[in-house]
Amino acid sequence: MYNSFMEVGDVTVKVKITGANGEPVPGYLLNTLYASDLHFEPEVRKSRIMPDGTVEIEISKRPYMLHARLNIPLYGNIWVMAHNHGQGYTGDTVDFVSEALETYIYEAERIGKNVELSVYARGHLDAAYEYRILSEKGIDRYYCRLKALSHAIFAAEAALFESARKKTAENPRPDILLGCNAFKYSGDNLYSRYFKELFNYATLPFYYYQVVPEEGVFDYGRRDEILEWCEANGIKAKGHPLWFGHGGVNPKWMYGKSYQELSSFAREYIKKTVTRYRGRIDIWDSINEPHDWANCFDFTQEQLMDLARICCETVRESNPDAISIINVCLPFAEYVAGKFVCYGPVFEHPVSPLAFFERAVDKGIDFDVVGVQLYFPARDMVAVSLLLDEYARFGKPVHITEMGVPSGPARGERDNVENADPQSQIGLTKGIWHAPWDEHIQADWVEQFYTIAAARPEIKALTWWDFADPGFMKTAPFLFEDYVPREMYFRLKALKKMIMGA
């Protein structure tokens, strides 16, 4: 799918990551360091921390990028990238903070060429320059360098946001689908009123444990109820998912069956379901998270790919007009670097979402849309935008199928990556963006991301998860449990007018 010079051969790279005091950052941050190629494809992490705090990491392919989590002054705890002006590294020593600083100054300048920067963006970029000079002069060297990095990230994000806002204002997207799952619809109340005022698109639940709680017994009643409401209010419906190997959404009767039995059932279920709703629901998540992550039945990687073929093929046979989506999660694939999954075996060579799409295209699997979940990835907007470039290269429409960021810590929850288990460090709810999460920061994230996404013509749909508390991501929904809106509801409602040109 892409051409890139790549030198193959193991090399040990020494990486320094220093904090504000000039000492190595704590071990919990050093241990997050991993390498990827220039297309964000991670290498499995093979690293060790030396007595002086240097990280020695094995790199098998060059040029490479580096990624690590850092505590950034006045910004937060996020994954930071270093990519050497987009060219990557080939050497065997890297000063990570210095290289990250140069990366984000480069991105701010690159993006800023196409837009007249606001005072906010220009101020941050000038601050990055000045703090870099102070650091080079030895004035509080390491703290000023981190401050320069902080301002460079703010500047690059602001330039991207302002460029996207200009593009969107000049080229409205009246056909874009703005949606959310409608799982908690319960009749004519505040939930339904707020939903239909904001969205033209709704995701309906088709989890096996709900539809087929007992073998051979199908129950579509709840789906019919939500769909009738959607149709009465001009809301386009999507079905989710036709296969999902998550341990929490499959009934007990499915366990213990062979791959052949389960794949045959998937074909039966999809044919029955997609045919039943043909002309009423014509957008389907044909398979959800098949890239090693959610594999509660312990299928092989070959079986997961074959299942994707079966699901997409059966959707096409059942409704030739349907839009078939392969839906992936954890789009940066940090789990590949760390070799861990949600359910199922950990394979010797993990498959990332991007690699899964690459192989699916190569095998001729018949799907229409690249579906990407984007629960707060603990990344800056520039890194997210660069990653979206990679999902766009398949030449298919892209749907952001699920996303969410918190409005604050849930009761009893601390946003502390130091004491978190390794899997939490992939960035679902852990990490801070600009400031500790509250309703204002959440609304800022929504405004920035929706604007940036709407400026990308390949992105055809944006779906939030969920609409009302309690949600999958705690404190992320638009409404509290009593259906009172959070601030982001009003922010997106105002933004919708600009995005859609209404």
Side-chain angles (χ1 to χ4, degrees), residues 107-122 125 154-170 451:
E107 291 293 347
E109 292 173 341
R110 177 183 68 84
I111 300 165
K113 289 179 181 178
N114 301 316
V115 64
E116 182 176 348
L117 295 179
S118 68
V119 170
Y120 175 90
R122 174 52 61 186
L125 187 53
F154 273 115
E157 281 190 322
L160 178 64
F161 176 45
E162 290 163 16
S163 176
R165 186 164 53 193
K166 181 175 183 292
K167 290 177 184 177
T168 305
E170 294 173 352
T451 302

Side-chain angles (χ1 to χ4, degrees), residues 164-299:
R165 186 164 53 193
K166 181 175 183 292
K167 290 177 184 177
T168 305
E170 294 173 352
N171 301 283
R173 302 284 307 280
D175 296 330
I176 197 167
L177 297 172
L178 299 179
C180 188
N181 69 56
F183 296 174
K184 293 187 175 70
Y185 165 75
S186 58
D188 186 14
N189 54 22
L190 284 175
Y191 179 104
S192 58
R193 173 196 150 191
Y194 286 130
F195 195 105
K196 64 187 180 184
E197 286 180 355
L198 190 58
F199 298 125
N200 60 3
Y201 186 45
T203 299
L204 278 57
F206 282 84
Y207 300 103
Y208 287 178
Y209 81 100
Q210 295 174 335
V211 182
V212 199
E214 299 178 23
E215 189 168 7
V217 178
F218 289 77
D219 181 3
Y220 292 104
R222 174 62 175 156
R223 280 123 289 279
D224 291 343
E225 179 186 7
I226 304 173
L227 179 58
E228 288 168 5
W229 172 73
C230 289
E231 291 172 331
N233 289 280
I235 298 171
K236 184 180 289 291
K238 179 182 99 168
H240 165 89
L242 294 174
W243 176 272
F244 187 15
H246 190 289
V249 300
N250 292 302
K252 292 181 179 179
W253 66 261
M254 293 179 66
Y255 289 86
K257 292 185 179 293
S258 68
Y259 171 73
Q260 186 61 47
E261 290 171 316
L262 290 173
S263 60
S264 294
F265 167 71
R267 188 183 292 277
E268 174 196 358
Y269 177 86
I270 293 170
K271 183 176 181 180
K272 182 180 181 69
T273 301
V274 173
T275 300
R276 185 178 196 275
Y277 290 100
R278 182 172 175 174
R280 301 180 71 198
I281 300 176
D282 292 329
I283 305 177
W284 295 95
D285 284 332
S286 298
I287 190 166
N288 196 42
E289 304 177 14
H291 46 92
D292 296 1
W293 180 251
N295 184 16
C296 67
F297 299 111
D298 296 346
F299 296 154

Side-chain angles (χ1 to χ4, degrees), residues 267-489:
R267 188 183 292 277
E268 174 196 358
Y269 177 86
I270 293 170
K271 183 176 181 180
K272 182 180 181 69
T273 301
V274 173
T275 300
R276 185 178 196 275
Y277 290 100
R278 182 172 175 174
R280 301 180 71 198
I281 300 176
D282 292 329
I283 305 177
W284 295 95
D285 284 332
S286 298
I287 190 166
N288 196 42
E289 304 177 14
H291 46 92
D292 296 1
W293 180 251
N295 184 16
C296 67
F297 299 111
D298 296 346
F299 296 154
T300 67
Q301 290 171 318
E302 292 73 20
Q303 287 170 335
L304 289 169
M305 186 61 70
D306 184 60
L307 188 58
R309 177 190 61 79
I310 289 170
C311 291
C312 295
E313 180 179 272
T314 310
V315 168
R316 184 72 69 228
E317 292 170 355
S318 304
N319 181 359
D321 297 324
I323 294 173
S324 175
I325 303 170
I326 294 179
N327 191 31
V328 302
C329 65
L330 303 173
F332 283 92
E334 295 93 346
Y335 70 91
V336 170
K339 289 190 74 172
F340 57 85
V341 297
C342 181
Y343 286 95
V346 177
F347 298 107
E348 181 62 26
H349 300 289
V351 174
S352 72
L354 280 167
F356 191 91
F357 280 121
E358 187 87 30
R359 296 176 189 183
V361 170
D362 287 346
K363 289 181 178 295
I365 292 178
D366 185 12
F367 70 103
D368 302 300
V369 168
V370 170
V372 180
Q373 299 176 29
L374 200 74
Y375 295 103
F376 179 57
R379 301 271 182 166
D380 60 89
M381 290 292 178
V382 175
V384 170
S385 183
L386 290 174
L387 181 74
L388 289 174
D389 290 342
E390 300 303 324
Y391 286 96
R393 64 179 158 87
F394 298 103
K396 296 177 181 287
V398 174
H399 288 194
I400 306 301
T401 53
E402 302 176 33
M403 60 176 153
V405 298
S407 60
R411 184 177 300 175
E413 178 181 81
R414 294 181 61 203
D415 201 6
N416 184 345
V417 298
E418 181 174 4
N419 297 318
D421 63 83
Q423 294 192 24
S424 70
Q425 292 189 14
I426 60 179
L428 277 177
T429 58
K430 303 298 178 181
I432 295 172
W433 180 79
H434 293 194
W437 290 104
D438 61 21
E439 286 190 52
H440 304 308
I441 297 300
Q442 181 189 46
D444 287 347
W445 193 95
V446 165
E447 182 181 358
Q448 283 206 20
F449 181 74
Y450 274 75
T451 302
I452 291 165
R456 305 183 65 102
E458 78 277 5
I459 294 183
K460 306 297 185 183
L462 296 162
T463 294
W464 195 263
W465 215 268
D466 297 79
F467 194 57
D469 285 337
F472 168 68
M473 175 180 277
K474 296 174 182 177
T475 78
F478 279 89
L479 310 181
F480 292 97
E481 287 191 59
D482 59 1
Y483 297 160
V484 171
R486 286 185 166 92
E487 180 181 337
M488 68 169 174
Y489 175 88

Side-chain angles (χ1 to χ4, degrees), residues 10-17 24 27 29-35 43-60 64 66 91-94 96:
D10 290 346
V11 61
T12 298
V13 176
K14 297 180 179 180
V15 183
K16 292 178 60 178
I17 311 179
L29 294 175
L30 295 175
N31 281 322
T32 65
L33 179 73
Y34 75 91
E43 291 202 39
V44 173
R45 183 189 294 112
K46 297 178 181 178
S47 65
R48 60 176 179 167
I49 301 173
M50 305 306 290
D52 66 353
T54 299
V55 181
E56 290 191 351
I57 184 167
E58 291 185 23
I59 307 293
S60 65
Y64 58 88
L66 292 173
D92 57 7
T93 60
V94 177
F96 183 79

